[in-house]
Amino acid sequence: MTMTEVSPATRARWLAVSTVAVGTFTIVTSEMLPVGLLTSIAATLGVSDGTAGLMMSAPGLIAAVSAPVLAMTTRRLDRRAVLIGLMALLAAANLACAFAPSYPVILAGRVLTGVSIGGFWAFAAGLATRLVPERSVGRATSIILAGVSVASVLGVPAATFVSSFAGWRSAFAAMGVVALALIAVLYATLPPLPGETSAQASGTRQGWLSGPLKTVLVMTVLIVSGHFAAYTYVRPFLEQISHADPALVSTVLLVYGAAGVAGNFAAGAWAARNPKPVLIILAALMALATAALPAIGLPLAVLVVWGAGYGGVGVTLQLWIMRAGGGELGTALFVSAFNLSIALGAFAGGRVVDGFSISATMWLGAGLAVLTAVVAGIWGRSRTTGS
């Protein structure tokens, strides 16, 4: 009788966790949309591939600012209301991009996307402790964060697939409709989530800039910047260097996405025990793949390795950041660093594409991945010695 009585409440809490995971998937998929659509958008709106890459830089920069700002200014507000408001903003931004008549308009829509990304991800990452019992926090957190990682590796192939049949505007419109539907679902499934008290906020601030946290933020900037310096321009690379047609590009990116999903869950299970060696291995895989890519005609196998490597990065860094502490503000700083790195990587890659070549962006990504592995190894040894 007790199990029957508790079961509906338990199911409701896990439904809320799943809804938040779908929310993180939606915002990060929206952020990644231009990667698979870059060539088509640039041609339609009459801009270069490098300039079109600013559609990745803009939301990343705005999200980097909005995450800590919203964490501090809205910490007393009900989290359910904040998340619903941010999802409504995302819906408006995606629909604005879908119907944008010019490049400045779509760039403005991407700015609004950045505000939603920074706030939603920063708050969602720490909700597990408030939605499920303590013994289930780890599993719930993995589900919520999987929304981020899966979006990073599946969002681009899915958008590319949709656009190959109905055009790039249809991909933005589809994500706008999904965001609209999620507004109602979040309202129905999330319980009231009051903001932080003064005592909780004070405790959070004590550890938000600890040494371990700073190290994780440095590694985040290195590996994420390197990835997006190369990956933002992977479609032009496949078309211009590998001479792949649109159908083959879609297939290759779907295979990349499948490898990324496998890497996400494999790394998540391993990194829960010790994230350091996992990050080193993931960085090494990414470095090998991006360095080898320019030398291979049809880089399917290489993209599988790249996808598996990057697929585990988000979960591994999230688990490391949780160990480093810092609470909601610490998580917001991580989100800020992650999204700033997306912007920096996309911007740097664009400058390399316009100034040198698309192949050169792959070497830039490889170099930063190697540097990440070195930093992780040194930090790990110093922590072991210290302990």
Side-chain angles (χ1 to χ4, degrees):
M1 181 177 293
T2 301
M3 290 183 63
T4 303
E5 186 176 329
V6 172
S7 182
T10 301
R11 286 198 299 269
R13 289 182 177 274
W14 283 106
L15 179 59
V17 169
S18 300
T19 301
V20 175
V22 175
T24 58
F25 174 86
T26 302
I27 64 166
V28 178
T29 297
S30 297
E31 182 176 20
M32 299 296 109
L33 278 181
V35 173
L37 312 175
L38 197 69
T39 304
S40 300
I41 296 174
T44 301
L45 300 181
V47 297
S48 69
D49 288 342
T51 300
L54 293 175
M55 289 184 295
M56 287 295 294
S57 299
L61 288 171
I62 298 300
V65 175
S66 67
V69 169
L70 288 174
M72 290 185 288
T73 58
T74 67
R75 63 179 181 271
R76 305 291 179 87
L77 300 180
D78 189 308
R79 292 293 178 263
R80 180 173 69 167
V82 173
L83 292 176
I84 289 173
L86 291 169
M87 189 56 62
L89 181 63
L90 181 68
N94 278 329
L95 293 175
C97 291
F99 297 101
S102 63
Y103 185 68
V105 174
I106 199 172
L107 201 58
R110 297 296 290 168
V111 168
L112 296 180
T113 300
V115 175
S116 178
I117 292 166
F120 196 100
W121 187 0
F123 292 130
L127 282 184
T129 56
R130 308 182 65 180
L131 293 176
V132 299
E134 184 177 354
R135 65 181 182 278
S136 302
V137 165
R139 183 157 63 101
T141 302
S142 297
I143 292 172
I144 291 173
L145 300 183
V148 177
S149 299
V150 174
S152 299
V153 296
L154 282 185
V156 172
T160 305
F161 181 77
V162 170
S163 68
S164 66
F165 291 97
W168 63 265
R169 294 183 186 275
S170 65
F172 282 104
M175 293 312 302
V177 171
V178 171
L180 284 173
L182 270 174
I183 295 172
V185 178
L186 287 168
Y187 180 81
T189 60
L190 285 180
L193 299 166
E196 286 186 335
T197 64
S198 298
Q200 289 172 328
S202 176
T204 294
R205 286 192 293 268
Q206 292 179 3
W208 75 317
L209 281 177
S210 64
L213 176 58
K214 292 178 182 177
T215 304
V216 178
L217 295 178
V218 169
M219 293 186 294
T220 299
V221 171
L222 290 174
I223 197 165
V224 177
S225 294
H227 172 75
F228 281 96
Y231 190 60
T232 301
Y233 303 95
V234 70
R235 180 168 184 172
F237 179 91
L238 292 173
E239 292 175 342
Q240 299 174 25
I241 306 300
S242 301
H243 306 293
D245 58 42
L248 183 57
V249 170
S250 298
T251 301
V252 168
L253 290 180
L254 282 171
V255 172
Y256 168 93
V261 172
N264 168 67
F265 289 105
W270 188 11
R273 296 187 296 271
N274 187 359
K276 179 184 74 73
V278 179
L279 186 63
I280 293 174
I281 291 173
L282 296 175
L285 290 175
M286 292 171 62
L288 287 172
T290 49
L293 195 58
I296 298 178
L298 184 61
L300 182 59
V302 176
L303 282 173
V304 168
V305 174
W306 189 359
Y310 183 71
V313 165
V315 171
T316 301
L317 288 171
Q318 287 278 14
L319 290 170
W320 206 333
I321 209 76
M322 291 171 65
R323 288 190 172 198
E328 205 168 64
L329 283 176
T331 300
L333 285 177
F334 169 64
V335 173
S336 178
F338 199 105
N339 285 281
L340 178 61
S341 302
I342 293 174
L344 290 174
F347 179 80
R351 305 290 70 74
V352 171
V353 167
D354 288 347
F356 297 93
S357 68
I358 293 179
S359 296
T361 63
M362 304 302 158
W363 288 105
L364 176 59
L368 290 176
V370 169
L371 188 55
T372 302
V374 171
V375 172
I378 294 174
W379 186 86
R381 287 198 298 272
S382 65
R383 288 291 295 170
T384 301
T385 303
S387 62

